[in-house]
Amino acid sequence: MNHAAPGAFRRRLIAGLSITAAAALAFTGCSSSSGGSSASGEDDEIGVSLIVKTTTNPFFVAMQDGAKEAADKLGVSLTLAAGKEDGDEDTQIQAIENAISKGDAGILITPNGPGVEDALVKARAAGLYVIALDTPPADPESVDITFATDNFLAGQEIGEWTAAKLGGEKATIALIDLFDDKVVSVDYDRDQGFLDGMGIDTADAEKNGDEAKTGTYSGGDYEIVGNEASGGAEDGGRTAAETLISKNPDINVVYTINEPAAYGAYEAFKAAGATDDLIVVSVDGGCAGVQNVQDGVIGATSQQYPVRMANLGVQAIFDLVKTGAKPETSEGLDFFNTGVALVTDDPQDGVDSIDTAEAGEICWG
């Protein structure tokens, strides 16, 4: 992933664009080598399948709502499917097979792992246009384009805020990731982005947990207590935090993959009587997460926009069928950037942010 694009361009794509206005910016008229042939007639029904990771995470429920809003507006026949849990590849593969069988024009998917990619390649070969949402696949050739948050930037922003918030104090860091048994870009991009934002040198950009366990960050000394997987769930975040607290009760910085994991982690620290001066940071920016920032559970979060991802995804497939126009990546990136903004009620000098009042008006776009 290219992280060298101008900061101002990459930080702010959060204005309240309508589907039509955003689509006008995102798409250009040119023929597609893949997609839409099965539903290209002027009067044919356009079928789109949205396949999310799981419906236990409100992020993906919001994405479904965004897709339904766009489908209703455009007259698209929308099919919804989801994994039984984060990481469930088999259910997603079956949903891809179903979309091919139905002759859908396209698939929108938040891939649960590399195991789904062969099925996506099959879908493309069958003429479906495939858009990854939120999570770029390991094999970029398995999809036509990705609409996503710049997850590395999302991590960087909470890392920069944390370093500034510490004000030179030693950082004793707990890292609560998504998985420990598979490699997914959203997982390592956020983790590595956070460390980079802290000013901590990383090793393999696509691997969590291989950086030096002690050293210096941009403001002082750091110690990494460990990395634990949460599955992106509240109970997983609580269990991960309990494990890390048992290793070192002096943790004062907790990075989490998402807000459900952040809430669970905070509850574990609260039960241990260890929330004084605790800094918890995360990524998502949903309405519940924004409320957690306002309540002091989370110090700062990077807000992303799943409703916009799904809106634009449905619009892209509709436009492809109707006009042949296909979406393009954002300037300097290998995906279409749907935006990110740091949310906190404790702004730090030199770190751009919005407050919870503004974020609450947007929550998930």
Side-chain angles (χ1 to χ4, degrees):
M1 184 177 293
N2 180 355
H3 301 294
F9 176 83
R10 299 170 68 201
R11 287 177 185 273
R12 292 299 183 110
L13 284 174
I14 62 171
L17 299 174
S18 68
I19 298 172
T20 303
L25 293 172
F27 310 135
T28 59
C30 53
S31 62
S32 169
S33 60
S34 171
S37 60
S38 61
S40 57
E42 189 65 29
D43 298 322
D44 289 346
E45 186 174 62
I46 298 173
V48 175
S49 286
L50 170 63
I51 307 167
V52 298
K53 291 183 178 181
T54 173
T55 53
T56 60
N57 187 330
F59 180 89
F60 299 113
V61 176
M63 188 175 283
Q64 289 182 328
D65 290 342
K68 286 188 281 190
E69 176 188 358
D72 288 345
K73 175 182 177 180
L74 298 170
V76 166
S77 176
L78 181 68
T79 300
L80 301 177
K84 296 174 183 176
E85 60 186 0
D86 211 326
D88 174 14
E89 296 170 324
D90 291 341
T91 303
Q92 287 198 324
I93 290 168
Q94 184 59 57
I96 294 165
E97 296 283 354
N98 292 342
I100 296 170
S101 296
K102 289 194 291 96
D104 280 348
I107 291 171
L108 310 174
I109 185 167
T110 58
N112 259 331
V116 306
E117 291 173 11
D118 285 347
L120 294 175
V121 170
K122 181 179 177 181
R124 292 188 69 197
L128 283 73
Y129 195 81
V130 180
I131 301 175
L133 303 180
D134 178 59
T135 305
D139 176 11
E141 295 302 314
S142 64
V143 301
D144 289 279
I145 194 170
T146 297
F147 289 2
T149 306
D150 186 334
N151 283 298
F152 189 87
L153 178 61
Q156 275 184 321
E157 291 193 347
I158 55 175
E160 291 169 0
W161 180 87
T162 300
K165 172 70 175 172
L166 284 164
E169 182 183 353
K170 180 183 176 181
T172 303
I173 304 169
L175 296 162
I176 298 180
D177 296 315
L178 186 58
F179 297 127
D180 57 11
D181 59 350
K182 62 184 67 180
V183 178
V184 178
S185 61
V186 66
D187 198 6
Y188 61 71
D189 276 341
R190 293 181 186 181
D191 177 296
Q192 301 290 282
F194 167 76
L195 294 172
D196 184 82
M198 285 279 293
I200 295 172
D201 291 334
T202 59
D204 186 337
E206 297 185 0
K207 183 177 181 181
N208 292 339
D210 63 347
E211 57 281 328
K213 300 307 178 188
T214 59
T216 59
Y217 73 97
S218 59
D221 295 331
Y222 79 83
E223 173 187 358
I224 294 176
V225 175
N227 295 67
E228 292 290 330
S230 67
E234 182 179 326
D235 58 346
R238 183 182 299 107
T239 300
E242 288 169 349
T243 299
L244 291 161
I245 292 167
S246 71
K247 294 180 179 180
N248 189 332
D250 297 326
I251 292 167
N252 62 351
V253 173
V254 182
Y255 155 84
T256 59
I257 182 67
N258 65 9
E259 289 160 0
Y263 184 81
Y266 181 86
E267 288 296 299
F269 278 89
K270 183 178 178 181
T275 57
D276 290 347
D277 301 320
L278 181 69
I279 298 172
V280 179
V281 292
S282 197
V283 178
D284 264 353
C287 292
V290 170
Q291 185 63 51
N292 282 335
V293 174
Q294 189 173 11
D295 293 342
V297 172
I298 298 172
T301 192
S302 286
Q303 186 173 64
Q304 51 183 340
Y305 303 103
V307 172
R308 181 173 302 154
M309 294 175 200
N311 272 338
L312 292 176
V314 173
Q315 180 77 55
I317 294 170
F318 177 86
D319 288 347
L320 179 61
V321 172
K322 292 296 186 181
T323 71
K326 64 178 182 178
E328 293 186 336
T329 58
S330 298
E331 182 181 353
L333 299 173
D334 58 5
F335 61 97
F336 182 84
N337 184 8
T338 53
V340 63
L342 181 73
V343 179
T344 184
D345 285 334
D346 186 10
Q348 300 297 312
D349 289 343
V351 183
D352 291 340
S353 64
I354 60 176
D355 63 20
T356 56
E358 184 177 350
E361 292 296 320
I362 304 169
C363 17
W364 281 346

